[in-house]
Amino acid sequence: MKNKQQKRLLSLSIATFALIILFAVIIYIPPFFPKSSSKPYSLLNISQIKSIVLDQSGKKIQFIPDNGTWKVVQNNTTYDSNQEKVSSIIKALTDVTKNNPVSTNKNNHSQFGINSQYIEFETNNQKNRIYIGDSQGIGNNYVRFNDENNIYVGQGFSEVFSSTEFRNLKLNLVKDEKLVNNVKITAPESTIMLEKKDSTISFISTLQTLEGTDILRSAPSDNPLGNPILQISFVEGVNTKTLDIYTKDESSYYAKTNTGPNIYVLNTSTVDTLKKPLTDTIK
C-alpha cells in the first residue's frame, strides 16, 4: 500500500514538473524564437529588376536600371533619380511580410483604402504588384498582394508614398572640394576672386551640396535665359567649371552649369547665399 502511494506521488511530481517545464517554454521561449514570417520578396535580386512603377493614385512614376544606378521617368522624360529613395522602395519590397491577415474578404478592400495606389515591379520572369492602402499606425499601411483577397499590414511604404519628388535635384557641380582652390564670382557690377581659406572652403561646400527645386531640359520659350546675373567659375583638378545664374521670376532663378544639359530652378534664398561673398565685399 505504501509503495503504491509512493508511486502515485512520484507520478504526480513528474506530471507537475512536466507542466512547469511546458509553462516555462510557453512563456520564455517565444522571445528567443519568434514566429516565422513569410517574406515573399526577401530573395528579390536587384539585378533582375527590369522596372519599378509607382502609382500614386493615378500619377505614375517609373524607375528603370541604368548601369548600376536608377533613372526615373516622369511625363515621358528621363532623369537621374534620387538613389536613396529608390533604395527605400526596394527595401520596403524585400521586408514586407504576409502574416496574420487583417481581412480575407475581397469586398472589404475599399474599407482599407486598397486599389487606389500600388507598386509594381517586373523581373526577368514576371510582374508583381503590391497595393498600398490606408495608414495603420506609425509607418504601417494595409497592403494586398497581386490578385489575392487577403489584406496584411506592411512597413516602409508610408515614406514612399508621402514623397512627390524622386528626381535627383543636385547640381553635382563639385566632385571633390579638395581639388578646388580659387573661386571667381562675377556679376555685372563687379568681380571678386576667393582664395582658398576657411570662408572659401565653406562656400565650396555650398556649391558641392547645391540642390534645385526643379529640373528643365530647356528654358520655356516665353521666358528665355537672357544674360546671367551671376557667374561662378573655378578649376577642379584640370577641369574648369562654371555656374551661370539667370533671373526666372521674383521668387526663383534658373541655374545652368557647363557640366551637363539640365537647367535647374533655384529659390531666392539659395541664390542670396551664392551672392553673399560678393555683397560682403561691396559693403
Side-chain angles (χ1 to χ4, degrees):
M1 184 73 177
K2 186 175 180 181
N3 289 336
K4 288 183 178 180
Q5 289 179 340
Q6 289 177 340
K7 289 181 179 179
R8 187 178 299 172
L9 289 173
L10 180 62
S11 297
L12 288 173
S13 298
I14 293 173
T16 302
F17 181 74
L19 287 173
I20 293 173
I21 295 297
L22 179 62
F23 181 77
V25 168
I26 294 174
I27 296 297
Y28 295 106
I29 295 300
F32 298 98
F33 299 95
K35 295 179 180 179
S36 61
S37 61
S38 174
K39 292 186 176 183
Y41 308 124
S42 62
L43 299 179
L44 180 64
N45 190 335
I46 297 177
S47 64
Q48 294 179 340
I49 300 177
K50 291 184 175 181
S51 170
I52 300 174
V53 175
L54 193 68
D55 189 316
Q56 296 178 316
S57 301
K59 179 185 176 183
K60 290 187 178 182
I61 302 171
Q62 183 183 24
F63 304 93
I64 53 177
D66 181 66
N67 294 323
T69 63
W70 292 90
K71 299 287 187 180
V72 56
V73 182
Q74 293 183 202
N75 301 321
N76 298 319
T77 304
T78 303
Y79 304 91
D80 291 334
S81 70
N82 184 314
Q83 303 299 311
E84 292 181 0
K85 290 187 177 182
V86 180
S87 295
S88 69
I89 295 175
I90 296 173
K91 186 177 188 306
L93 292 175
T94 55
D95 287 350
V96 68
T97 60
K98 297 174 72 173
N99 288 325
N100 305 321
V102 296
S103 173
T104 59
N105 188 339
K106 65 180 180 180
N107 297 319
N108 291 340
H109 290 172
S110 60
Q111 297 180 19
F112 295 93
I114 297 293
N115 291 334
S116 62
Q117 55 186 13
Y118 61 81
I119 298 175
E120 181 179 270
F121 63 95
E122 180 182 359
T123 62
N124 295 333
N125 300 319
Q126 61 182 348
K127 286 185 178 181
N128 287 279
R129 180 178 291 190
I130 301 180
Y131 293 93
I132 313 301
D134 296 335
S135 297
Q136 202 286 316
I138 299 176
N140 299 327
N141 289 81
Y142 295 111
V143 299
R144 180 169 75 90
F145 296 86
N146 298 308
D147 296 325
E148 299 176 12
N149 292 329
N150 291 355
I151 295 177
Y152 303 88
V153 174
Q155 294 182 337
F157 296 104
S158 295
E159 182 179 350
V160 172
F161 281 89
S162 64
S163 297
T164 58
E165 183 59 76
F166 291 90
R167 297 172 298 173
N168 181 4
L169 298 176
K170 292 183 178 180
L171 274 65
N172 296 316
L173 185 61
V174 179
K175 299 296 183 182
D176 187 349
E177 61 180 291
K178 295 178 181 178
L179 299 179
V180 180
N181 291 310
N182 299 334
V183 178
K184 183 180 179 181
I185 304 177
T186 304
E189 67 277 5
S190 61
T191 298
I192 63 169
M193 181 69 75
L194 300 178
E195 296 181 355
K196 194 161 189 179
K197 52 187 178 181
D198 290 344
S199 59
T200 308
I201 292 173
S202 176
F203 186 80
I204 295 171
S205 296
T206 298
L207 292 177
Q208 188 174 32
T209 58
L210 206 57
E211 189 169 342
T213 60
D214 196 5
I215 302 176
L216 306 175
R217 285 289 184 254
S218 60
S221 58
D222 60 346
N223 191 6
L225 294 181
N227 296 318
I229 57 101
L230 188 71
Q231 182 182 81
I232 299 171
S233 61
F234 57 89
V235 175
E236 180 180 351
V238 297
N239 300 311
T240 299
K241 298 185 177 181
T242 61
L243 170 65
D244 292 322
I245 308 294
Y246 306 83
T247 300
K248 178 179 180 289
D249 51 43
E250 293 181 355
S251 59
S252 58
Y253 295 82
Y254 290 127
K256 180 78 172 64
T257 74
N258 68 336
T259 59
N262 294 329
I263 296 175
Y264 297 85
V265 177
L266 304 180
N267 58 36
T268 300
S269 60
T270 299
V271 175
D272 285 344
T273 300
L274 298 176
K275 287 181 178 180
K276 192 173 187 303
L278 196 63
T279 55
D280 288 348
T281 301
I282 295 174
K283 290 177 182 179

